[in-house]
Amino acid sequence: MKITTFAAIYIGSYEVSMKVFEIRPGKKIRQVDYIRSRLELGLDAYSKGVIGYELVEELCQVLKEFHSIMDGYKVDVYKAYAGNMLRTVSNGLFILDQIRIRTRLDVTVVSNSELRYMSYESLAVMPEFEKMIGQGAVLVDVGGGSMQITLFQEGRAVTTQHIELGIMRIWEKLSQIRNMVSHYETQIQELIDKELEIFKRLYLEEKDIKYVILMGDYIGEMVMDFSKKQEDGTIEAERFLKILNKWHKKTAKEIATELNLVNENDPLILPSVVLYKRLTEEMNAENVWVPNVSVGDGIVCDYADKNHMIHFLHNFNEDILAASKNLAERYQSYSSHTESVLSTSTVIFDAMKKVHGMGKRERLLLQVAAILHDCGRYVSLTSQFECSYQIIMASEIIGMSDLEREIVASTVKYNSLPRPPYKSLRDKMDQDSYVIVSKLTAILKIANAMDRSHKQKFETIRAALKKKELIITIETKENTVLEKGLFSAYAESFEEVFSIMPKVKEKRIL
């Protein structure tokens, strides 16, 4: 059995880290080493919009050292990622180029949704996680610049929300008043409460939350001395809050001393305490779970998954579908018509698999598009498809990348609007993605036309390829003149994409 030595490097807002792992296919991934270097890149990024050359020098030096450590471990594969911070600063591209030239490391900047999904994967290999989300849980992944809050009900992700309020950003936002007020922690709490109140009102009302799962820096140190944990490794929220309330009244130096932090003057420790305290209070859960994993664990799980070296207990596709349905329901667009379009489009996709060349992932994206194709009606009946596009692009669905969200949103948009040529969309997607959008749109148009009256007139629907035709057989008692008329209108565009002509074969049921 081949053992792969893997290194996961992450460049964050205030820390650069590397974890070295051993991956044995089918076995538990073993961590070999964990190296961290404090580097407050976010301080420049959030206040100036550019990272100064001194910090760039220091970053390259740290990464050079990481490369030497990798050589010592004879690392087979590495992945180096940076958070969205490097995409927002004006000199981000030049920093990546300098890293490549001076350290021989290729760093990829990942979007928020991709980064959070990798962290999510590191939890999905744990049996405790499945138990907790089955009973109702909120996962809060806290970073330097932002945090992600994901709500789980009955084992599925219901919604995920990105809030631009992380530990480093809180510290930077309040930098001007730190020395002007006597109770700095009160201002931190007010800043946090504004964001949490909105999330709680929109997503947590009448939700039964048993567990709050906390991920992020400092939280591992905060729970380290809790000796009387429950069997599943959780801590009663009441006990956890008791100690946080005690630290809430202390100075950063006093807290750092209690937690045995290397830097006893760490300015981020107080914002961390206040943030975790308010998160626990607002989620109103019975228990707190700190799984003690970081971005590095997510990076190795993502690599192992893509290379078929690991098996997840959790079904991520079901999360995506559940979150999409919840989003449609929020915009009052999930209906019997939606279910009909979802079912029909899936039947057509499956019948066409020898022709369209798409796989399971594209099938999932089509299903998401079918679920969300009417959500824009909530905003406007005249600009429905443009509104649907904007809603989908503004809504994070955990497990979907930014490009996949663009594919779904464009499929929905061009379900009714004319599809523009590739040259007008190349700033949003590559050619392969444009072809996928074209194929999914052609299928969705046909499926939507089959229930244009929104009356679900068909008892059953089947589809089969016969030479150069797609025969869609329907059984119905109803008059289907409207549906067949609109079907004919979209048949040409379907044939243009697939070189297959769709035809309806009707069987009357008495």
Side-chain angles (χ1 to χ4, degrees), residues 278-466:
R278 292 300 298 129
L279 284 168
T280 305
E281 288 172 338
E282 288 301 307
M283 298 307 140
N284 197 30
E286 296 176 26
N287 301 289
V288 175
W289 185 45
V290 178
N292 204 24
V293 292
S294 66
V295 177
D297 298 282
I299 293 172
V300 70
C301 285
D302 188 66
Y303 172 81
D305 176 44
K306 288 175 179 173
N307 289 276
H308 312 291
M309 305 164 85
I310 192 174
H311 173 69
F312 287 111
L313 301 172
H314 191 72
N315 188 324
F316 295 104
N317 288 352
E318 289 298 325
D319 278 347
I320 292 171
L321 294 174
S324 301
K325 181 179 177 182
N326 183 265
L327 183 61
E329 288 173 343
R330 178 164 291 279
Y331 289 96
Q332 299 180 18
S333 65
Y334 195 84
S335 62
S336 299
H337 168 70
T338 305
E339 291 182 348
S340 175
V341 173
L342 173 60
S343 174
T344 303
S345 59
T346 305
V347 166
I348 294 172
F349 183 98
D350 291 345
M352 294 279 292
K353 62 184 177 182
K354 290 183 180 179
V355 174
H356 57 50
M358 295 183 285
K360 292 179 180 178
R361 193 65 182 180
E362 289 78 19
R363 184 180 191 267
L364 177 67
L365 298 182
L366 174 63
Q367 290 175 320
V368 174
I371 291 170
L372 295 174
H373 80 280
D374 266 346
C375 65
R377 287 182 185 273
Y378 184 86
V379 180
S380 171
L381 295 178
T382 55
S383 304
Q384 170 196 345
F385 301 104
E386 181 62 47
C387 291
S388 295
Y389 175 88
Q390 296 297 340
I391 288 171
I392 295 167
M393 290 305 297
S395 304
E396 286 202 25
I397 299 174
I398 197 163
M400 282 177 56
S401 68
D402 289 355
L403 177 58
E404 288 177 329
R405 199 159 68 243
E406 178 69 53
I407 289 171
V408 169
S410 296
T411 298
V412 169
K413 182 176 181 178
Y414 303 121
N415 173 44
S416 283
L417 298 179
R419 186 182 72 256
Y422 171 66
K423 63 181 180 181
S424 64
L425 294 176
R426 61 187 173 193
D427 60 326
K428 296 181 178 180
M429 64 185 79
D430 56 27
Q431 282 185 306
D432 289 342
S433 300
Y434 177 79
V435 172
I436 290 171
V437 168
S438 302
K439 291 177 179 179
L440 298 185
T441 301
I443 295 172
L444 185 61
K445 280 183 177 182
I446 291 293
N448 201 12
M450 297 286 285
D451 189 40
R452 193 63 183 87
S453 65
H454 288 221
K455 290 183 178 179
Q456 298 81 57
K457 295 178 180 178
F458 310 138
E459 298 287 329
T460 61
I461 180 167
R462 299 187 302 277
L465 276 174
K466 292 187 179 178

Side-chain angles (χ1 to χ4, degrees), residues 477-488:
K477 300 175 183 177
E478 308 283 341
N479 183 314
T480 59
V481 172
L482 174 64
E483 282 73 19
K484 286 191 287 189
L486 289 172
F487 182 93
S488 300

Side-chain angles (χ1 to χ4, degrees), residues 147-210:
M147 61 182 170
Q148 193 84 10
I149 306 180
T150 307
L151 172 64
F152 294 89
Q153 294 277 285
E154 298 179 355
R156 297 285 171 255
V158 174
T159 187
T160 186
Q161 296 297 319
H162 177 233
I163 300 176
E164 288 204 340
L165 198 68
I167 294 169
M168 173 65 82
R169 198 181 293 272
I170 292 171
W171 186 77
E172 191 280 323
K173 278 178 177 286
L174 297 176
S175 60
Q176 301 298 319
I177 66 168
R178 274 195 298 274
N179 299 320
M180 299 167 56
V181 294
S182 56
H183 294 286
Y184 170 51
E185 69 279 0
T186 303
Q187 277 64 49
I188 297 174
Q189 182 164 319
E190 287 181 2
L191 183 64
I192 294 167
D193 285 357
K194 170 181 168 288
E195 300 293 343
L196 291 184
E197 189 276 328
I198 296 170
F199 176 84
K200 186 176 180 180
R201 175 165 46 84
L202 290 177
Y203 300 103
L204 293 186
E205 283 188 358
E206 299 180 4
K207 295 290 191 302
D208 183 22
I209 308 299
K210 188 169 183 180

